[in-house]
Amino acid sequence: MKKFAYQAAVLASLAASATVAMAEDSKSSIAGFSVAGSVAATTDYRFRGVSQSSNNPAIQGGFTINHESGAYLALWGSSVDFGVAGNSTETDASLGYTNKIHFSPSYSATYDVGITHYGYIGSGHSFDRSGIGYEGKNGLDFNELYAKLIFADSLFTGDSLTLGVNYSDDYWAHTKNFWYFNAGYSAPIADTGFTGIASVGYNNFKNKDAMAVVAGGPAKDDSYIDYKFGVQYTVLGVTAELAGVGTDVSTSGVPGALQKPYELGAVFTLSKTF
């Protein structure tokens, strides 16, 4: 608990200081640049359905430097717990470009393309996958390309539909070719102030061994599906989210305590944007 409290304090202070220090600048563009930030606390950090914090709470924060051209640089961090000695923090950096694509004079969508580097402080020499029968480098860091389309007011006024695809050739330490296809949807629930959210993702690995490196278990398949459904409510600028998150990863033959990171679980998150 003390370790988590320390991580929370560090990440929260870094994110808050970065966003607060630049808050005035973000209100008006300077040389075409503006800044936005966010902080969040969650009961379980789930990435593509799988817990990154051993089903324990995590604190997160980051900021994005935007340019009026559509280019941006985003930095984001979270506390993590993989059971890897010396590794307790994930730090990601994304370089991307976003703009509008017009399908007709009256309807357009937003596209977003870029590359993300996923970094894990302290994991460089403390996590060696060669011992579990799969060729790979030490450490957890990897790069990933992404592209997505965002459709506003797709079915109803105020809703949003997102379609995305991601690709990495060294996913989680050289698991070779990996593809991630995903779709997300959000819509206001009548006039209640609540927003319904749902998403589904398809994780495709080169082979069963590659999936075993990332998702664990008996590796009976070379792919898995992750999903999320829930509601959000914003009050005083703080968004509260309660969601069910899980995967269809086979946990047959896996000890009970090790099944939980992949199974359906309730996740509560508080977040604030600046």
Side-chain angles (χ1 to χ4, degrees):
M1 182 61 70
K2 290 182 179 179
K3 181 180 179 180
F4 171 73
Y6 174 76
Q7 294 169 357
V10 172
L11 283 171
S13 63
L14 288 175
S17 62
T19 54
V20 171
M22 294 180 285
E24 292 300 321
D25 292 343
S26 65
K27 294 178 182 178
S28 58
S29 177
I30 298 179
F33 290 94
S34 60
V35 178
S38 66
V39 292
T42 182
T43 58
D44 187 5
Y45 170 25
R46 295 279 186 127
F47 178 67
R48 295 173 183 166
V50 181
S51 178
Q52 309 294 286
S53 56
S54 294
N55 300 110
N56 293 314
I59 191 74
Q60 304 167 338
F63 63 93
T64 302
I65 302 173
N66 299 288
H67 188 260
E68 61 186 10
S69 65
Y72 64 86
L73 171 65
L75 302 175
W76 184 86
S78 177
S79 56
V80 296
D81 183 3
F82 301 122
V84 178
N87 175 229
S88 61
T89 307
E90 173 185 341
T91 54
D92 303 341
S94 299
L95 182 63
Y97 180 81
T98 182
N99 211 326
K100 295 285 187 180
I101 180 171
H102 297 275
F103 294 101
S104 71
S106 60
Y107 190 74
S108 64
T110 299
Y111 67 87
D112 186 358
V113 296
I115 183 171
T116 298
H117 173 76
Y118 293 83
Y120 299 89
I121 297 174
S123 71
H125 298 288
S126 59
F127 193 81
D128 186 355
R129 288 193 163 90
S130 62
I132 60 174
Y134 191 80
E135 180 184 357
K137 65 181 181 182
N138 290 341
L140 302 171
D141 296 8
F142 66 95
N143 299 314
E144 188 173 79
L145 299 171
Y146 62 87
K148 57 185 174 181
L149 279 175
I150 305 169
F151 301 89
D153 301 326
S154 58
L155 299 176
F156 307 99
T157 300
D159 75 354
S160 177
L161 172 66
T162 301
L163 303 175
V165 58
N166 301 60
Y167 170 77
S168 177
D169 65 351
D170 64 346
Y171 193 55
W172 291 91
H174 287 309
T175 58
K176 307 303 180 183
N177 296 337
F178 168 80
W179 290 90
Y180 183 63
F181 303 92
N182 58 94
Y185 183 74
S186 65
I189 302 175
D191 297 322
T192 63
F194 285 90
T195 298
I197 58 172
S199 65
V200 62
Y202 176 68
N203 302 257
N204 183 255
F205 298 84
K206 181 179 180 181
N207 51 45
K208 292 186 292 185
D209 291 335
M211 180 172 160
V213 171
V214 175
K220 295 181 178 180
D221 204 348
D222 61 359
S223 64
Y224 77 91
I225 293 173
D226 67 82
Y227 55 89
K228 175 179 178 178
F229 56 88
V231 293
Q232 294 178 339
Y233 189 83
T234 300
V235 58
L236 300 177
V238 177
T239 299
E241 176 183 293
L242 179 61
V245 185
T247 75
D248 70 344
V249 173
S250 173
T251 55
S252 175
V254 177
L258 299 180
Q259 297 179 9
K260 194 175 179 181
Y262 315 104
E263 295 179 335
L264 174 62
V267 179
F268 180 68
T269 304
L270 292 174
S271 61
K272 168 71 175 178
T273 58
F274 300 88

